[in-house]
Amino acid sequence: MAVQGCLRGVLIDLSGTIHIENCAICGAADALKRLRKTCLKIRFVTNTTKESKRILWERLTNLGFSIEQDEIFTSLTAAHEVVCRKNLRPQLLLEDEALEDFPDTNTKNPNAVVVGLAPSKFNFNTLNDAFSLLKISTSWELWLKRMQCMKESLYMHEDVRDDIDGSQRAGLVGMLVKTGKYREGDELKISPSPNYVFENFPAAVDFIINHLT
């Protein structure tokens, strides 16, 4: 896919692309600094639901990344926007560390369910209540719909099937990095294959700077 000269923004997945838990991908922080010297708009996206945006942002800054909190868009953010827009009263199946992303949310007499990665909340009583209500899944599709308007943008991720494939179908340029979830041969598992494949985030950034800006 020819994007040279028309690329306007880069969506960067977080977990597996620039960090894994509390460890940064080697060279990723410096690569991000190089990328920021371009005229490209940069945003960070993640489908993690185990913790709030603030906690995630604090982890990233502690790892040496220069990122503003409002540059991060999470699936919890997307779910909260849906709850507010539809004036829903959700049952929140979320861990305590994620609840702060639903400030002032009315949860009395719920008519919806927000489901995240919350093993401590998955018991008979809560699940029995949840199955009787409308479900909102905090999956990546929620924010991807919002990102569809960002044409001429590139989406960088390490999950070829759930994220690269979906982003390319939505009209974004897909860039697969071989870190995190990546396993040998993943780039052959979707059709069309990823627009670009690189060993890691720094290599992808170097290509963007040298060939796509």
Side-chain angles (χ1 to χ4, degrees), residues 51-198:
E51 61 191 8
S52 69
K53 180 194 296 189
R54 177 189 59 80
I55 294 175
L56 175 60
W57 171 73
E58 289 178 351
R59 174 183 292 117
L60 293 169
T61 54
N62 288 337
L63 291 176
F65 291 102
S66 178
I67 296 176
E68 298 296 329
Q69 191 169 341
D70 61 6
E71 290 181 316
I72 302 173
F73 191 83
T74 75
S75 51
L76 288 175
T77 305
H80 181 253
E81 288 185 1
V82 172
V83 166
C84 293
R85 185 170 66 249
K86 294 183 177 292
N87 196 28
L88 299 173
R89 305 181 305 275
Q91 176 185 354
L92 299 175
L93 289 183
L94 302 171
E95 295 291 2
D96 293 343
E97 293 81 3
L99 289 176
E100 68 179 80
D101 279 354
F102 287 79
D104 303 320
T105 299
N106 182 4
T107 58
K108 295 181 179 179
N109 189 25
N111 59 1
V113 182
V114 174
V115 183
L117 180 60
S120 70
K121 308 296 183 181
F122 290 173
N123 55 62
F124 178 82
N125 290 331
T126 58
L127 291 177
N128 188 52
D129 291 339
F131 280 123
S132 66
L133 301 169
L134 176 67
K135 178 174 70 175
I136 300 176
S137 174
T138 57
S139 62
W140 74 279
E141 289 89 348
L142 286 167
W143 57 257
L144 184 57
K145 289 180 180 179
R146 173 172 170 173
M147 297 300 177
Q148 285 179 353
C149 63
M150 297 184 64
K151 300 302 180 182
E152 301 173 352
S153 294
L154 183 151
Y155 182 40
M156 193 184 306
H157 207 287
E158 31 76 79
D159 189 322
V160 68
R161 192 179 301 278
D162 290 337
D163 294 275
I164 294 296
D165 188 37
S167 64
Q168 292 184 170
R169 292 178 185 275
L172 282 74
V173 177
M175 182 172 282
L176 178 68
V177 292
K178 297 182 178 181
T179 51
K181 292 181 180 179
Y182 175 83
R183 296 296 180 269
E184 190 67 31
D186 276 358
E187 60 269 35
L188 304 177
K189 294 179 180 179
I190 61 172
S191 180
S193 57
N195 298 128
Y196 300 99
V197 181
F198 292 97

Side-chain angles (χ1 to χ4, degrees), residues 24-44:
I25 297 294
C26 183
D30 288 337
L32 178 58
K33 291 178 182 178
R34 297 198 301 274
L35 188 60
R36 286 199 182 277
K37 293 180 180 179
T38 70
C39 61
L40 297 173
K41 293 182 179 180
I42 302 172
R43 293 294 183 269
F44 304 88

Side-chain angles (χ1 to χ4, degrees), residues 1-8 10 35 38 40 154 173 175 196-198 202-213:
M1 176 178 290
V3 296
Q4 184 173 4
C6 67
L7 187 66
R8 298 174 59 187
V10 180
L35 188 60
T38 70
L40 297 173
L154 183 151
V173 177
M175 182 172 282
Y196 300 99
V197 181
F198 292 97
V205 167
D206 288 341
F207 182 83
I208 292 172
I209 293 173
N210 293 326
H211 299 283
L212 301 183
T213 58

